[in-house]
Amino acid sequence: MDIGKWLRLQWDRVLAWVLVAAGAIALIAGWVGVSGSAYAAGQLPYIISGGIGGIFLLGVGATLWLSADLRDEWRKLDSIEDALREERPAADEVAVG
Amino acid sequence: MAEAVAPARLRTRAHAIDASRQAAPARPLLWSAEDLLRWAITTGLGGVVIAVAWYIAAGEATFGQQVGPLDAALAGLLLSGVGNLAWLLHGRRALGERRRLLLPNVSDDAASADQETVPVGPLSRSEVAGTVPDEFLAGEGMERFHRPECALAAGRTGWASATREEHEDAGRRPCGVCRP
């Protein structure tokens, strides 16, 4: 399959993975930074940027991933609605005839 | 005379276009622009608060001066979390409402099937429904035939079961949803 087309179709999942990966990297970097500093005042910026920032990125990534699932289900309902619309006129014709 | 007929034709065509526009319903959206804006504001604001809190905390020399920015960062995280949760809950609710509207019988049928099904072996849903797997369902006068487990066939007790060939001989096409 064409990668560009796949990226366009699955942009939300790709972005979700990017954000989740960035969040994981931020958490690891934060841990490395905290473990390398002996003072609380030196550790706190790493806790905010790596810890809280990493959790923030993970949360947004997870939201995007779940949104993509919801959107897929919504599109499935679109196709069901289209199919129902195609069925109904035929049934009405029979009922009238 | 010809001049009088031409505007009448134009009017008829205009009416036909209007009718087709009215007949083609606007497809509903899962999230409105207002939902998107609310989510973008809460998430963006949360991210900005965390970034600013980090910037301020990194410039302070003592732990006591950094507690305020830490609290602000936690508040930013909470704000974005609430925004994400509201976004997902709204999407789930809209999806459930539309599913109930389009397929009112499915949830009832699924609930009754759960109560009635006895786990005696690996039966397929079509076998539970009393039809063999290579037979498909369609109603009288319908254009499409469906798998027995298709959502569009749920609750249609009056539909007849027949083979693919019989349905095709009757001029029916496969359902676009279950793709039998």
Side-chain angles (χ1 to χ4, degrees), chain A residues 11-89:
Chain A
W11 65 269
D12 38 11
R13 287 196 171 86
V14 172
L15 189 58
W17 270 115
V18 169
L19 287 171
V20 167
I25 290 168
L27 282 174
I28 293 167
W31 172 75
V32 170
V34 167
S35 65
S37 178
Y39 302 103
Q43 291 171 344
L44 210 74
Y46 287 109
I47 291 172
I48 293 176
S49 62
I52 296 175
I55 293 169
F56 168 80
L57 291 173
L58 285 174
V60 177
T63 301
L64 276 178
W65 185 270
L66 292 171
S67 301
D69 287 348
L70 293 176
R71 222 173 273 129
D72 283 350
E73 204 169 336
W74 190 261
R75 275 194 285 268
K76 204 178 281 181
L77 288 178
D78 283 344
S79 67
I80 288 175
E81 191 173 352
D82 291 342
L84 283 171
R85 280 218 180 83
E86 281 184 29
E87 289 280 352
R88 273 177 192 154

Side-chain angles (χ1 to χ4, degrees), chain B residues 3-75:
Chain B
E3 288 172 6
V5 169
R9 277 186 188 158
L10 285 175
R11 274 199 300 275
T12 309
R13 188 176 292 174
H15 279 304
I17 291 169
D18 289 345
S20 69
R21 279 182 186 162
Q22 285 166 2
R27 211 177 266 286
L29 294 171
L30 181 52
W31 287 286
S32 64
E34 193 182 325
D35 296 324
L36 183 63
L37 187 67
R38 200 177 298 135
W39 178 75
I41 286 173
T42 51
T43 305
L45 200 61
V48 168
V49 167
I50 292 170
V52 171
W54 164 77
Y55 182 77
I56 293 170
E60 300 292 351
T62 64
F63 181 78
Q65 292 169 321
Q66 290 174 333
V67 172
L70 176 65
D71 291 343
L74 287 172

